[in-house]
Structure formats: C-alpha cells, structure tokens
Amino acid sequence: MTKKTLFLLAFLATSLIINAQNTVIKAGHFFDARNGKMLENQIIIVQDGKIKEVGVDLKFNKTDNIIDLSSSWVLPGLMDCHVHITVNLPYRNLKMEQMYTNESTSLRAIRGTVVARQFLDNGFTTIKEIGNDANYATADIIKAIKNGWIQGPTIIYAGKIIAPYGGQSSNVNLEHERFWSFEFIDADTPDEIKKAIRKNMYYGATTIKMVTGDNGIYNAEDIKAAVDEANKYNLKVTVHAQGGLAGTNVITGGAAGIEHGFGLNNEQLRLMKDKGIFLVGTDFSYDNWYAYGVDSATATALNNRLVDRLKRAYKIGTPMAFGTDIIVNLPELNRVESSLKVLETWKSAEIPASYILQSMTIKAAELLGIDKVRGVLESSYYADIIAVKNNPLNDIESIKTVHFVMKEGEIIRNDKK
Ligand SMILES: [Zn+2]
C-alpha cells in the first residue's frame, strides 16, 4: 500500500467519524417501563439501530437527525403476546374448519403481511404469532421482513400448534381424519412432543405453543418433557389452557406461560406467581365476544368472568403479559383497533394504566425471552420507540393515538401534526 493510499484511507475514516449521524429524539414525556413512571424532558440518542444513551441535557451534534417529540408521550414499542396474523374469520360466523379448507397457505401469508404491517403502524414493534398459520406461512413473512421486501414488527413465532390428537377440531368425521394437520401437530407422548418441537424449530419457530384441554389433557410430565426439550434451544413453552386439571398440569410441568386461563382459580394463580409463570389473559371485551357469534347476554356473562379473573390475578400478583388473540375484526375496525377493545376489560377490572403499559412492554419482553434487548428504553437496547399524543397513564386508551413509530432505529411512521 502506498503512502498516498494510506493517507486517503485515514482521511476517509476520519471524515466518516465526523459525519457519523445519530438520531436524537427529544421526548417531552418518557415512559420508564422498569419503574412504571413517566419522566420529563429526556433525550434519546439512537445509533446503528440501538439506543446509545438516554438522559436529561445530553450533548449531541447539530448535524444529527433531530426528532422533536417534546409535546408527545414516548414509550417503548408495544408488544402483543398472542396474535394470529394469518387468520380472519367472518363477523359472527366462527367457522375455523371452513377456513382450513378454503384458504391456502399463500393466501394466509398475504393476509399476514397486511395484518403484521397494521400492528407495526399502530405501535406494536413486537408480536408473538402463536400458531394457526397453515403450513408455516409466518416463517416466510419473517423472511420477507428480514429481506426488506415488506415492513413488519419483530415476530416471535410458534410454528404449528402442538396438541393431543385432534388439534382444536371436534366432530371431524373419519373420512377427513387428520385434516387439521394443516394447522396442528398431533403429539400424544413425550417423544412425539419432542419430535414436534424439533420439526417446528426446523421450519423457523422461535417459541413453542401447546394446547391442552380441548382434545385430551397433557400430564405434567408431558409439559415438562416439552419444557426440557425447548430449554436446550433457549425456547420458551407457552400453553393454551382454561383451568382445571389441564391448567394445574401446565403449572406443575413448569411452562413459561398460560394462554387464556379463563377458568384459573386463586390457588392456581398463586402457584403461577410463586413459579413466575405468566398469564396471557386474552381478555376479550363484550364486543369481541359478540363478534364470535354469541348472543348479547352470553357476551356480557363471558366478559364479566374475564373482568373477575383479571382482578383476582392482579390482586394475587400473577405476572401478566398483554395478549389479545383477536381473529374476528369488528365492523369498520382493522385488526389492531379490534384487538385494543380488550383494554375495556382491563379498565373494567381497574388495573392501573402503568401496569397495563408494563404488561405491553417490559413484562411481555420477559415472557418472550427478549428482555435483555427490548421492552425498555435504555442504553444498548434496540431502538423500538413510539410516541402517542396523550398521556396513557391518565387513560390507557391513549395508546390508540400513535403518531410516531421507530423499529430498530428505522422510522416507520412520523405523522406531521
Ligand atoms: Zn389464540
């Protein structure tokens, strides 16, 4: 290498350092998710997709890209721990099996890209896609997002749902035996469960979802076999269960989370607290229940049951992560708007807004196993940052006023006021 080349290289390196442009966010109000408190006038410096520094009166270069959110409430990107982005059933007509037979994996994937984008645009920078996506449709959606073909949130992905024989279908005649394998893996022994986990991993799963109590109940040993196998690969196991013996076995087996848990009693909720097992309550509002096709009195009764369970879980101290599970859009509302109806249930249960926000950020990150890199706005964390127009601690529904979204340092949305 000649002296001249060396000089040129040194000059280029120096000019790169001088011109390195950070993004600087001036946050008028700032949610400290770790402590559940709102701080004032923070500055966030973002570099290479991550948060470099956060604090008051930080120094930055005039040439930096400055984003003025001084009249907004700035929060970590939200997380929904229970979504089905490739599913959409008609209003008040819940025919799951008909969808299995009428919609191909590719059609489901195309829908999934649209719904994933809706989540991102509305402030959800991370979602847990928890199965029911035909033949691994979401695995390809994740690839398309990584390739930059489309924009979408970070997706923690369950692959096919692992369940006792029959998946979540009932009354299928023998001529159509196992047609549910389009969506589920039948696994009835610890060995079959292990094999199902390995198959899901092979096709892109980053978490494991099981179902118990719909067709057959897993023993605690079955759950433990899944947890041990998943632990080898640093994956978490979360299980759809309502309560009763099915719920107790999930708790004894040591899963990371219970999905729904509509029928959990206080003793079970206490055991979950002791063992650090998360409840992902999928707390449907009246409107969500009604959308499923039940009559008005039944929708009220079912919602009241969830308000009661949510109140008890909060009082007992069961860890909770936010999850919606909406597969039917409400009239005139998109998927995220339909999903956020569940906030009405949280409000009826009088859960403090700061706790709800934590369940959508730091607590969700803990359940998903990403709490060292996402869920709070601190140095070295990914710059998943959103802003809303009103104070969500005064009314949690303010999270519906998202006007700025950044995912891993990239600005996805920045509405001019
Ligand atoms: Zn679900």
mmCIF file of all heavy atoms in Angstrom, residues 82-84 130 132 209 240 260 282 325 327, ligand 1:
data_model
loop_
_atom_site.group_PDB
_atom_site.id
_atom_site.type_symbol
_atom_site.label_atom_id
_atom_site.label_comp_id
_atom_site.label_asym_id
_atom_site.label_seq_id
_atom_site.Cartn_x
_atom_site.Cartn_y
_atom_site.Cartn_z
ATOM 1 N N HIS A 82 -50.058 -12.521 21.897
ATOM 2 C CA HIS A 82 -50.934 -13.586 21.389
ATOM 3 C C HIS A 82 -51.680 -13.088 20.158
ATOM 4 O O HIS A 82 -52.757 -12.491 20.274
ATOM 5 C CB HIS A 82 -51.923 -14.041 22.471
ATOM 6 C CG HIS A 82 -52.667 -15.292 22.135
ATOM 7 N ND1 HIS A 82 -52.751 -16.378 22.995
ATOM 8 C CD2 HIS A 82 -53.360 -15.651 21.015
ATOM 9 C CE1 HIS A 82 -53.462 -17.335 22.417
ATOM 10 N NE2 HIS A 82 -53.847 -16.917 21.210
ATOM 11 N N VAL A 83 -51.107 -13.297 18.993
ATOM 12 C CA VAL A 83 -51.789 -12.881 17.760
ATOM 13 C C VAL A 83 -51.804 -14.019 16.747
ATOM 14 O O VAL A 83 -51.013 -14.956 16.819
ATOM 15 C CB VAL A 83 -51.136 -11.627 17.117
ATOM 16 C CG1 VAL A 83 -51.070 -10.490 18.106
ATOM 17 C CG2 VAL A 83 -49.762 -11.930 16.558
ATOM 18 N N HIS A 84 -52.753 -13.912 15.813
ATOM 19 C CA HIS A 84 -52.871 -14.857 14.689
ATOM 20 C C HIS A 84 -52.990 -14.009 13.425
ATOM 21 O O HIS A 84 -54.097 -13.714 12.971
ATOM 22 C CB HIS A 84 -54.109 -15.732 14.854
ATOM 23 C CG HIS A 84 -54.139 -16.527 16.123
ATOM 24 N ND1 HIS A 84 -53.448 -17.707 16.290
ATOM 25 C CD2 HIS A 84 -54.777 -16.307 17.299
ATOM 26 C CE1 HIS A 84 -53.658 -18.180 17.508
ATOM 27 N NE2 HIS A 84 -54.461 -17.351 18.147
ATOM 28 N N ILE A 130 -48.756 -17.001 17.349
ATOM 29 C CA ILE A 130 -48.842 -18.159 18.212
ATOM 30 C C ILE A 130 -49.472 -19.374 17.534
ATOM 31 O O ILE A 130 -50.000 -20.271 18.183
ATOM 32 C CB ILE A 130 -49.567 -17.722 19.509
ATOM 33 C CG1 ILE A 130 -49.353 -18.704 20.623
ATOM 34 C CG2 ILE A 130 -51.028 -17.444 19.241
ATOM 35 C CD1 ILE A 130 -49.419 -18.080 21.979
ATOM 36 N N ASN A 132 -51.680 -21.474 14.168
ATOM 37 C CA ASN A 132 -52.809 -21.342 13.229
ATOM 38 C C ASN A 132 -52.386 -20.482 12.043
ATOM 39 O O ASN A 132 -52.998 -19.452 11.751
ATOM 40 C CB ASN A 132 -54.045 -20.725 13.889
ATOM 41 C CG ASN A 132 -54.842 -21.730 14.694
ATOM 42 O OD1 ASN A 132 -55.104 -21.501 15.861
ATOM 43 N ND2 ASN A 132 -55.204 -22.851 14.089
ATOM 44 N N LYS A 209 -45.725 -23.432 21.271
ATOM 45 C CA LYS A 209 -47.110 -23.294 21.743
ATOM 46 C C LYS A 209 -47.773 -24.660 21.776
ATOM 47 O O LYS A 209 -47.754 -25.397 20.784
ATOM 48 C CB LYS A 209 -47.877 -22.365 20.801
ATOM 49 C CG LYS A 209 -49.406 -22.534 20.775
ATOM 50 C CD LYS A 209 -50.120 -21.636 21.772
ATOM 51 C CE LYS A 209 -51.636 -21.749 21.724
ATOM 52 N NZ LYS A 209 -52.262 -21.157 20.563
ATOM 53 N N HIS A 240 -51.891 -23.089 25.794
ATOM 54 C CA HIS A 240 -53.311 -22.734 25.828
ATOM 55 C C HIS A 240 -53.997 -23.672 26.822
ATOM 56 O O HIS A 240 -53.949 -24.895 26.652
ATOM 57 C CB HIS A 240 -53.879 -22.889 24.409
ATOM 58 C CG HIS A 240 -55.359 -23.098 24.303
ATOM 59 N ND1 HIS A 240 -56.196 -22.223 23.633
ATOM 60 C CD2 HIS A 240 -56.158 -24.102 24.741
ATOM 61 C CE1 HIS A 240 -57.430 -22.677 23.681
ATOM 62 N NE2 HIS A 240 -57.450 -23.816 24.348
ATOM 63 N N HIS A 260 -54.855 -17.620 27.810
ATOM 64 C CA HIS A 260 -56.279 -17.553 28.162
ATOM 65 C C HIS A 260 -56.481 -17.729 29.675
ATOM 66 O O HIS A 260 -56.704 -16.773 30.372
ATOM 67 C CB HIS A 260 -57.137 -18.553 27.382
ATOM 68 C CG HIS A 260 -56.796 -18.626 25.935
ATOM 69 N ND1 HIS A 260 -56.876 -17.542 25.110
ATOM 70 C CD2 HIS A 260 -56.321 -19.657 25.165
ATOM 71 C CE1 HIS A 260 -56.490 -17.883 23.884
ATOM 72 N NE2 HIS A 260 -56.142 -19.160 23.893
ATOM 73 N N THR A 282 -55.689 -12.772 27.253
ATOM 74 C CA THR A 282 -56.559 -12.576 26.074
ATOM 75 C C THR A 282 -57.981 -12.175 26.504
ATOM 76 O O THR A 282 -58.950 -12.878 26.257
ATOM 77 C CB THR A 282 -56.604 -13.829 25.167
ATOM 78 O OG1 THR A 282 -57.206 -14.912 25.870
ATOM 79 C CG2 THR A 282 -55.212 -14.244 24.726
ATOM 80 N N ASP A 325 -55.335 -12.099 20.958
ATOM 81 C CA ASP A 325 -55.956 -13.286 20.355
ATOM 82 C C ASP A 325 -57.166 -12.968 19.478
ATOM 83 O O ASP A 325 -58.099 -13.754 19.404
ATOM 84 C CB ASP A 325 -56.357 -14.279 21.470
ATOM 85 C CG ASP A 325 -56.831 -15.618 20.912
ATOM 86 O OD1 ASP A 325 -56.363 -16.004 19.819
ATOM 87 O OD2 ASP A 325 -57.667 -16.274 21.555
ATOM 88 N N ILE A 327 -59.275 -12.825 16.217
ATOM 89 C CA ILE A 327 -59.293 -13.424 14.877
ATOM 90 C C ILE A 327 -60.547 -13.021 14.096
ATOM 91 O O ILE A 327 -60.790 -13.513 13.007
ATOM 92 C CB ILE A 327 -59.175 -14.974 14.939
ATOM 93 C CG1 ILE A 327 -60.230 -15.571 15.866
ATOM 94 C CG2 ILE A 327 -57.783 -15.391 15.381
ATOM 95 C CD1 ILE A 327 -60.287 -17.092 15.836
HETATM 96 ZN ZN ZN B 1 -55.219 -17.860 20.075
#
